[in-house]
Amino acid sequence: MRAIQITEFGGPEVLRPAELPRPEPGPDEVLIEVSRAGVNYADTHRAENSYLSRSTLPLVPGSEVVGRTPDGRRVVALVGSGGYAEYATAPKALTWEVPEGIDDVTALAMVVQGATAWVLLRRSTHMAPGESVVVHAAAGGVGSLAVQLAKAWGAGRVIATASSAEKRDLALELGADVAVDAGAEDMKAALIEANGGRRVDVVLEMTGGSVTDQSLHALAPFGRLAFYGMASRKPPTPVQPASLMAHSTTIAGMWLTHVFQLPGDVMRTALDELFALAAEGRLRVIKGGEYGLSEARRAHEDLRARRTMGKLVLDPSR
C-alpha cells in the first residue's frame, strides 16, 4: 500500500512517500480502508519527536482515519499512528460508526478537534452559562469548534484570537463576540479590553510562551485556563502555587488520551452530542484543505506556517 513514512526525526522534509505492506489487524482490532486521514498539529510534534509520548522509527504518522471496514461499515477511528496510508488498523474500542449525513471531514474533525473542544469546556474548565470565554487560535481545528460550542452552551461573551484579519473575520462569523489580534503586544490588556474592561473567566490556550503568561494574568478570580498545546514551542513561565491561591485561579492541562481512563464512555457521550449538533446545522466544521497523500509534507509546512484554517485532511487515493 501507499503510505507516508518517517525514517528520521525532523521537520516536514522527513515525511516521504513509501510502499509498505498492508497492516494486519490483531484480535481486538479492525482493518480500515482509509478514505481520509486527519492532519493535526500534534503530528508536526511527532515528526520531530517532541510530542508528549515519544515515537519510535520507522513511523507512519497520523492518529485518525475515516473509511470502510471489510464488512462495509463506515467508521471513524483513533489509530495512534499509521493513519497516513491507504489502509490502517484501529482498536475496536476506539472505532465509532459515522452517522448518515456526516461527511468524512466532519467525522474526522469531531473525533479529535471536536472532542478536545468538548472536554476543554465541559470537563477542564466547567464553563458555566454567562461566563466569558477566550479561545486562542480561534480559526484552527479546535478553536473554530470551541467558539461555536461555547456560544451554543450559553457563554456570556466569546473572545477569539487569531493571527490575521481573515481568521478573525471567520471567528466572528462562527459566533465570537469580538476578535483580537493574536500578535497583540500586551495580550492581557487586549483580553480585558475585549471583555468590556473586566477580567475573563475561561481561557482555552494552546500557544505557549508569553500568550499563556499574559492570558493567566487576565483571569478573573476563580478564572480557569486550560492548556492543551504549545504551538510556539516556547514554554510558559513556571507558575508558583501560591500565586494561584492569591488570585483564586486554576490552570488545567488536557491531553485527550486521558479521556479513555475516565469512568463511563466519555468519548461516546461527546461524539453523540457533537454529531447531533453537526447534523442539526448548529456546529460547522471549517474544511481547511484537502491534500493528496503525497502532499503530506506541504500540509505540515502550511500548518506550521499558520497558513491554514479549520480541519486539514489527506486523501490516500492521490
Side-chain angles (χ1 to χ4, degrees):
M1 68 171 186
R2 294 171 60 246
I4 296 296
Q5 188 178 55
I6 295 172
T7 57
E8 59 180 325
F9 293 120
E13 73 281 354
V14 303
L15 278 70
R16 300 186 180 97
E19 288 288 334
L20 300 175
R22 184 183 300 184
E24 293 291 334
D28 294 316
E29 294 181 325
V30 62
L31 179 69
I32 299 171
E33 184 176 4
V34 179
S35 58
R36 297 292 187 278
V39 179
N40 296 309
Y41 205 91
D43 297 346
T44 70
H45 284 285
R46 288 189 184 278
E48 63 185 16
N49 204 25
S50 62
Y51 196 52
L52 289 171
S53 59
R54 293 299 178 180
S55 301
T56 57
L57 298 175
L59 170 70
V60 175
S63 62
E64 70 201 25
V65 299
V66 62
R68 297 276 180 183
T69 61
D71 59 3
R73 292 180 300 122
R74 183 163 168 261
V75 299
V76 65
L78 295 175
V79 297
S81 62
Y84 291 10
E86 292 182 302
Y87 289 87
T89 57
K92 292 178 181 177
L94 303 182
T95 302
W96 301 273
E97 296 206 19
V98 180
E100 291 295 326
I102 300 295
D103 61 66
D104 283 354
V105 180
T106 298
L108 285 171
M110 294 310 174
V111 79
V112 171
Q113 279 85 9
T116 296
W118 190 97
V119 172
L120 287 168
L121 290 167
R122 289 284 201 219
R123 306 276 310 212
S124 299
T125 64
H126 300 280
M127 187 208 88
E131 290 190 311
S132 54
V133 178
V134 174
V135 180
H136 287 297
V142 175
S144 60
L145 294 171
V147 165
Q148 297 175 76
L149 289 175
K151 203 66 180 176
W153 293 338
R157 191 166 181 82
V158 177
I159 301 164
T161 78
S163 60
S164 70
E166 181 185 10
K167 292 180 178 182
R168 292 191 289 276
D169 287 344
L170 174 62
L172 293 171
E173 180 187 336
L174 293 174
D177 295 287
V178 62
V180 172
D181 187 344
E185 186 173 341
D186 188 342
M187 182 60 72
K188 172 187 173 182
L191 295 180
I192 292 173
E193 180 182 357
N195 198 36
R198 300 178 302 277
R199 291 174 178 268
V200 299
D201 298 308
V202 171
V203 176
L204 308 186
E205 158 52 2
M206 50 76 68
T207 307
S210 64
V211 174
T212 307
D213 298 343
Q214 294 185 45
S215 297
L216 180 62
H217 295 150
L219 285 176
F222 295 99
R224 290 90 68 203
L225 183 148
F227 187 76
Y228 68 101
M230 198 163 61
S232 70
R233 289 167 166 78
K234 296 177 182 177
T237 302
V239 176
Q240 298 300 319
S243 70
L244 298 178
M245 182 178 66
H247 300 284
S248 294
T249 52
T250 298
I251 298 176
M254 204 287 285
W255 187 22
L256 191 61
T257 299
H258 293 135
V259 167
F260 302 101
Q261 298 177 19
L262 294 173
D265 195 343
V266 174
M267 191 69 169
R268 178 75 272 169
T269 300
L271 287 177
D272 284 347
E273 184 169 8
L274 293 167
F275 283 143
L277 288 169
E280 295 166 6
R282 297 174 60 199
L283 188 58
R284 170 187 163 202
V285 170
I286 303 303
K287 298 177 180 180
E290 183 169 296
Y291 301 75
L293 186 66
S294 60
E295 300 175 297
R297 172 177 176 169
R298 182 164 67 87
H300 277 224
E301 289 171 344
D302 289 347
L303 191 59
R304 292 187 61 157
R306 294 189 176 185
R307 291 192 289 263
T308 66
M309 295 188 289
K311 183 61 182 173
L312 308 187
V313 300
L314 300 180
D315 179 356
S317 70
R318 59 186 180 90

